[in-house]
Each structure stands twice: as structure tokens, then as C-alpha cells.
């Protein structure tokens, strides 16, 4: 029998990224990740995945998880990801993700996983810590490596997980002296370009969709008045001046980054525009700039809510993703010595 071989080299780079349906998507998810997805779809072969299995690492209400899985996919499309350009699918619809994850867990060390900062942060907030929360980065590595991914666009909170995915790929390739997995490159925007949007109530914490206090988050589906209220009550730093200084003015710097990315104005332009005007006027304008960015997304989201529309997109996505995933899984199973299915 012929052994499964490495795939032929590709001309176009392949991009993979996932978003968990663990809450209502935030402006942080949009500016740090989704906005870049919409750009990359024109220059790469893109796979964008609703990573529902990742969401199960912390307790989820089944009905909410079901609805949010559909909603995250709708938001992908509403933000501008074109299902004809990019493959949009649900992680659990391609069982190869879980199968590869187990195989990779058997090549990952316990100490590597316990070092992960996101694990430590999330575990500290849970009453009961599941083993899934610990092994989450291995499933993420499987998501990426399964598709021979070249590049992974993520916010900077995912940097450590991506480094682990690279380490695992190198380890496996070295063990078998063969390029079983492509070693993926991160695509992480710097902070001032949206790599880490911070919580409006605590600029030392990142904006997170599952945060306990929703006042610190701007959800992409928040009504305009809620957005205005949240920005008005956002914490600021001492002094009245508006300038970019992550260390000494973390709150204002975060608001400036949001303003800049939503309006297209540079940080210098914003600084000049609001020189001497204080925080009030700046926040008022910021709220309008954010509302203008989010309103078209919300309109498209509503249009996609007709039954069957998003389900069809996800079904097509699975049909495109699965055949890309299986050859890599089968090759790795073969090299590990697992008996081939006849
Ligand atoms: N605050 C953020 N700034 C910039 N990028 C961010 N991302 C998340 N928060 C920010 C990026 O969004 C993508 C999807 O994230 P995820 O669903 O994989 O989960 P996460 O990174 O753990 O994001 P959240 O919103 O904080 O979710 P919960 O609360 O469930 O943990 C990723 O590319 C992420 O980097």
C-alpha cells in the first residue's frame, strides 16, 4: 500500500484563524482579528473557523452556545468575509480537528501547557478547572497544523499559543525527519494597530467577550446608545491631555487606537485634533466613530438572520475544509504507526 505523501507545494499562501463562540464578539475581536481576515481573503487562501470545541473549555449553556455559533458565523460574513472567497466553517463539523488534537497531546509536555498565561488567568477565574482548559492550546495547534497553514492572523493574546503550535510542528517534523506539518507564521498586529484592544473600565486588562462586567466591552451587536454610554463612562488617565503613551496614559492610548482604527485617522492627527479640548469632546466623537463602524455590520448581520442562509454557508465550508484536513491527519497517523482504515 502507498504511504500518504506530503502535499504538493502551493502557489498561494494559506491562512487559518478561529474565533470562539464564547460570548458576544467585541470590538477587540473585530479590530484585532476580523478586520484583518477581510483583507487577507483577497491575498490568500483563507479558512475562518468558528471554534466551538474551544468554547467548551469553560461551562456553556447549550442553547446559548448553539445560537452563538451561528451568530459568530453571521458576524464573519457581516464584517465582510465573503464565503465565495474564504472558507467559513464550524470546528466540530470536521472531526479531524479533535483526532489530530489527541495525537498532538501525546507529543506535548504537561509543563508546556501549565506555563500558558491564558490558562493561568482563566483557571484562576473558574471554580472547577477542566483538563480541556489546560489542553486548549493543543487543539488550537491541531486546528492550524491540519491545514498546512502558512499564516495565522490573531490578536497578541494568542502569541504564546501560536509559539507552542510552531514548537509542536518542529518537534514532529524532527522526529520523523519529514515536513509532516508546515511551521505556521503568526500575523499579529502591533498594539497601535489593534493587536490588543483593552477593557474600557480597566486598561490593564484586554477587552474580552466573556468578561464578567460588560461595561468594559463594546460588543459588535451593542445598540448605538449602549456604545455611547460605555464610551462616556470609559476610565481615563490623570491629566486632560490627549496623547499616545501606552505606559503613562494606558486608558487614553487605548481609546486613541480605537478612534484611529475606526476612523482611519493617524494617532498624530487625533492628538492634533483634540489638543486642548479635554476628554469630553474626544469621547463624544469617538462614540460616533465607533457607531459608524459598527452600524453597517449590524445591518448586514440582521439580513443574514433568515433561516437557512448561514447554515448553507457553513455546510459548504465544511465540504471545502474537510478534504484539505484529512490528508495531513492520515499522513501523521501513518507515521505514528496507526493501522490504516481499509
Ligand atoms: N482585546 C483584543 N484585542 C485584539 N484582539 C483580540 N482578540 C481577542 N480579544 C482581543 C482576538 O480575537 C480573536 C478571537 O478570539 P478567541 O475567540 O479565540 O478568544 P480570545 O482570544 O480568548 O478572545 P476573547 O474575546 O478574550 O474571548 P474569551 O473571553 O472567550 O476568552 C483572536 O485572534 C484573538 O487574538
Amino acid at each position: 500500500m502507498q504511504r500518504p505523501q506530503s502535499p504538493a507545494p502551493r502557489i498561494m499562501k494559506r491562512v487559518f484563524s478561529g474565533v470562539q463562540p464564547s460570548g458576544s464578539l467585541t470590538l477587540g475581536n473585530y479590530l484585532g482579528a476580523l478586520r484583518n481576515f477581510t483583507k487577507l481573503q483577497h491575498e490568500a487562501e483563507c479558512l475562518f473557523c468558528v471554534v466551538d470545541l474551544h468554547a467548551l473549555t469553560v461551562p456553556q449553556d447549550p442553547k446559548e452556545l448553539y445560537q452563538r455559533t451561528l451568530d459568530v458565523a453571521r458576524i464573519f460574513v457581516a464584517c465582510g468575509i465573503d464565503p465565495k472567497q474564504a472558507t467559513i466553517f464550524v470546528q466540530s463539523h470536521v472531526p479531524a480537528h479533535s483526532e489530530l488534537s489527541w495525537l498532538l497531546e501525546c507529543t506535548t509536555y504537561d509543563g508546556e501547557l501549565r506555563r500558558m498565561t491564558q490558562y493561568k488567568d482563566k483557571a484562576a477565574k473558574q471554580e472547577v478547572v477542566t483538563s480541556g482548559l489546560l489542553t486548549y492550546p493543543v487543539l488550537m495547534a491541531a486546528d492550524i497544523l491540519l491545514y498546512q497553514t502558512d499564516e495565522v492572523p490573531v490578536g497578541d493574546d494568542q502569541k504564546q499559543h501560536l509559539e507552542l503550535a510552531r514548537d509542536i510542528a518542529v518537534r514532529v517534523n524532527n522526529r520523523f525527519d519529514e515536513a509532516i506539518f508546515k511551521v505556521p507564521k503568526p500575523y499579529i498586529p502591533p498594539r497601535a494597530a489593534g493587536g490588543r484592544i483593552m477593557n474600557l473600565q480597566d486598561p490593564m486588562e484586554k477587552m474580552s467577550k466573556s468578561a464578567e462586567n460588560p461595561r468594559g466591552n463594546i460588543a459588535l451587536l451593542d445598540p448605538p446608545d449602549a456604545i455611547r454610554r460605555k464610551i462616556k463612562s470609559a476610565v481615563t488617565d490623570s491629566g486632560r491631555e490627549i496623547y499616545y503613551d501606552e505606559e503613562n496614559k494606558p486608558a487614553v492610548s487605548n481609546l486613541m487606537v480605537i478612534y484611529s482604527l475606526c476612523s482611519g485617522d493617524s494617532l498624530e492627527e487625533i492628538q492634533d485634533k483634540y489638543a486642548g479640548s479635554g476628554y469630553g469632546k474626544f469621547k463624544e466623537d469617538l462614540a460616533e466613530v465607533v457607531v459608524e463602524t459598527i452600524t453597517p455590520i449590524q445591518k448586514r448581520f440582521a439580513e443574514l438572520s433568515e433561516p437557512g442562509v448561514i447554515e448553507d454557508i457553513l455546510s459548504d465550508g465544511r465540504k471545502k475544509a474537510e478534504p484539505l484536513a484529512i490528508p495531513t491527519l492520515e499522513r501523521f497517523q501513518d507515521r505514528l504507526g496507526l493501522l490504516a482504515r481499509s
Side-chain angles (χ1 to χ4, degrees), residues 197-208:
I197 301 295
M198 308 309 281
N199 185 301
L200 300 185
Q201 293 297 319
D202 179 357
M204 305 321 280
E205 286 275 328
K206 76 162 186 151
M207 192 181 278
S208 248

Side-chain angles (χ1 to χ4, degrees), residues 231-245 248-253 255-256 259 274-287:
I231 293 183
K232 195 171 178 190
S233 67
V235 298
T236 43
D237 312 292
S238 54
R240 295 184 72 243
E241 314 78 28
I242 292 162
Y243 60 90
Y244 190 80
D245 179 344
N248 300 307
K249 295 275 241 182
V252 170
S253 298
L255 298 181
M256 285 179 78
Y259 192 125
Y274 294 99
S277 69
Y279 294 145
K281 168 76 178 136
F282 169 64
K283 281 181 165 182
E284 238 171 64
D285 290 357
L286 171 63

Side-chain angles (χ1 to χ4, degrees), residues 20 22 29 122 154-155 157-158 194 197 206-210:
Q20 299 183 64
S22 47
N29 297 126
K122 286 197 173 179
V154 283
D157 61 318
Q158 293 297 335
I197 301 295
K206 76 162 186 151
M207 192 181 278
S208 248
K209 62 176 119 61
S210 62

Side-chain angles (χ1 to χ4, degrees), residues 122-135:
K122 286 197 173 179
K125 289 179 193 152
Q126 298 299 320
E127 270 176 37
V128 179
V129 178
T130 65
S131 51
L133 192 64
L134 179 68
T135 55

Side-chain angles (χ1 to χ4, degrees), residues 316-336:
D316 286 350
R318 179 191 64 76
K319 287 180 199 148
K320 286 194 263 170
E322 197 153 38
L324 300 178
I326 299 292
T328 296
L329 176 66
E330 288 186 344
R331 196 164 58 257
F332 189 39
Q333 287 171 327
D334 171 83
R335 301 314 187 257
L336 285 168

